[in-house]
Amino acid sequence: MALLQARNHFIQQHHRLTFTGSKGTSLILHCMTAGAGELTSDFKSLIKQKFDARTSYDKDNERHPTLAAQLVKRSNLRLGWQVLDLACGSGLVTYLAAADIGCGGFITGIDLSTGLLQQAEAKRASSGLNNIKFLEGDIEHAEFPSMSFDAILCSSAIFYFDMPSTAKRLHTWLKPGGLLAYNTLQEPFTPLLTLLHQLLQEQGCSNPQPAFSQMPDDAAHIAVLQRANFTNVQVEATPGLLLEKATPLESYVNKGWQMVATGFKPFFPSLANMPNSEQAALKERFCAQATVIGKGIINKQGLVEDRHINLWITAIAAV
């Protein structure tokens, strides 16, 4: 609900675009842009800006390519399937899935970020695959024909959606018995994000909780999907490291600030609009307290291990 309240705070306009799908079907997307004067504050615009700025997404870290590959492997896609890749980004899931479903199948990737989609398109020639289509748009305002897909996948992005309402739309787009598969992080996935939120509150800033608060644990995922008429909902938890590997304390603090203050800026409008001088003071306080946190999770080698839990969710669209 906090995410919905944050979104409703902003003025938004919707523009309708029509594309042609792989089988000649009409794919209608409602692409969202911010209202006049709201561009720097708008939640989705900030997400778009964030990812447009990541010009070498696949090389930024090891975690996302690894998670994408694991998601596709876990999904057991079949030859000939029609697949939708939500928040496809640079195509990490898209290209792997396209290879699995073969030339008789087709995958549509959709994402808000122009920059990431350009990176995805740049891989097309070297991939040798022609069963892929990329669309730019907001999945929460997209429209696909009912029962279009055998599977819908999403890697590391489900917390950017209002999942309780989006799940119902995903169910509509899946064929009866179709597969929904995604991965995400169990909350709270790092004490650093909690720290940032607390510091902003101490400064009197009103900020929404991170979007994944709407589904903080496996029970919440199951409940949301069952309410959307999904069956056989399965959740598996696997351990992971926040920064891919154990890291020295100083690096943990600096990378931690970069991650929460830049990567999660869309969830904290007051941080996005904060003057540089105030942000510098906030960073100083954050780093001091993050150092204390880091010292509490140092391993025997003297490196910080900020562990989190990856959740892997699969569900079947009720017949």
Side-chain angles (χ1 to χ4, degrees):
M1 289 301 295
L3 177 59
L4 290 175
Q5 293 169 359
R7 290 173 178 154
N8 291 338
H9 177 71
F10 306 121
I11 301 171
Q12 297 167 336
Q13 297 172 329
H14 299 81
H15 300 285
R16 182 174 171 128
L17 301 177
T18 303
F19 301 86
T20 301
S22 60
K23 304 299 182 181
T25 56
S26 177
L27 306 180
I28 302 173
L29 303 181
H30 293 276
C31 296
M32 186 169 66
T33 58
E38 295 290 330
L39 184 61
T40 58
S41 309
D42 175 65
F43 180 83
K44 290 297 180 68
S45 294
L46 284 171
I47 293 174
K48 178 176 170 59
Q49 291 172 23
K50 165 190 170 181
F51 286 105
D52 281 349
R54 296 178 68 171
T55 56
S56 57
Y57 183 81
D58 293 5
K59 299 178 181 179
D60 284 353
N61 60 59
E62 302 171 4
R63 185 164 60 90
H64 289 306
T66 300
L67 291 173
Q70 291 177 1
L71 178 64
V72 174
K73 183 177 180 180
R74 287 167 171 269
S75 298
N76 295 315
L77 304 176
R78 307 289 179 83
L79 291 173
W81 272 13
Q82 303 293 306
V83 180
L84 177 63
D85 181 12
L86 306 181
C88 64
S90 64
L92 291 172
V93 166
T94 318
Y95 283 98
L96 293 173
D100 282 0
I101 60 180
C103 58
F106 197 90
I107 183 165
T108 300
I110 180 171
D111 200 280
L112 275 175
S113 170
T114 306
L116 288 186
L117 290 174
Q118 289 173 347
Q119 294 177 51
E121 286 285 1
K123 303 175 184 178
R124 188 184 294 275
S126 61
S127 74
L129 299 167
N130 58 8
N131 59 343
I132 297 171
K133 185 178 187 68
F134 292 109
L135 302 176
E136 182 175 341
D138 182 356
I139 195 61
E140 292 184 348
H141 298 280
E143 293 180 9
F144 295 99
S146 297
M147 298 184 288
S148 294
F149 303 105
D150 298 286
I152 296 178
L153 310 181
C154 183
S155 183
S156 306
I158 210 73
F159 47 79
Y160 291 115
F161 311 144
D162 168 33
M163 197 55 185
S165 62
T166 300
K168 298 176 182 178
R169 307 180 75 234
L170 302 183
H171 186 279
T172 300
W173 298 337
L174 281 167
K175 299 175 183 178
L179 171 71
L180 172 65
Y182 61 90
N183 56 36
T184 189
L185 298 172
Q186 180 172 289
E187 185 190 357
F189 77 91
T190 171
L192 297 184
L193 189 57
T194 303
L195 171 61
L196 176 65
H197 189 222
Q198 290 173 344
L199 292 176
L200 287 169
Q201 286 185 318
E202 289 173 7
Q203 289 190 197
C205 298
S206 177
N207 293 281
Q209 292 283 350
F212 42 74
S213 291
Q214 61 189 337
M215 295 192 298
D217 52 31
D218 53 354
H221 285 273
I222 293 171
V224 165
L225 295 177
Q226 287 180 340
R227 283 197 296 269
N229 207 27
F230 283 94
T231 63
N232 195 28
V233 182
Q234 303 290 324
V235 181
E236 181 181 351
T238 61
L241 282 176
L242 179 67
L243 300 175
E244 291 86 52
K245 56 186 178 182
T247 186
L249 179 60
E250 183 178 358
S251 177
Y252 170 74
V253 172
N254 291 333
K255 287 184 177 180
W257 167 257
Q258 182 180 13
M259 181 196 67
V260 298
T262 302
F264 286 90
K265 188 177 290 186
F267 302 111
F268 298 100
S270 59
L271 178 60
N273 299 316
M274 186 177 292
N276 290 338
S277 58
E278 292 184 21
Q279 190 166 140
L282 175 67
K283 179 181 178 180
E284 183 176 355
R285 295 173 62 207
F286 175 93
C287 290
Q289 295 190 41
T291 299
V292 176
I293 292 172
K295 288 179 178 179
I297 48 177
I298 289 179
N299 63 19
K300 294 180 179 179
Q301 288 73 42
L303 302 175
V304 178
E305 291 189 355
D306 191 341
R307 296 194 171 275
H308 66 245
I309 301 296
N310 295 311
L311 297 181
W312 305 86
I313 296 92
T314 58
I316 303 299
V319 176

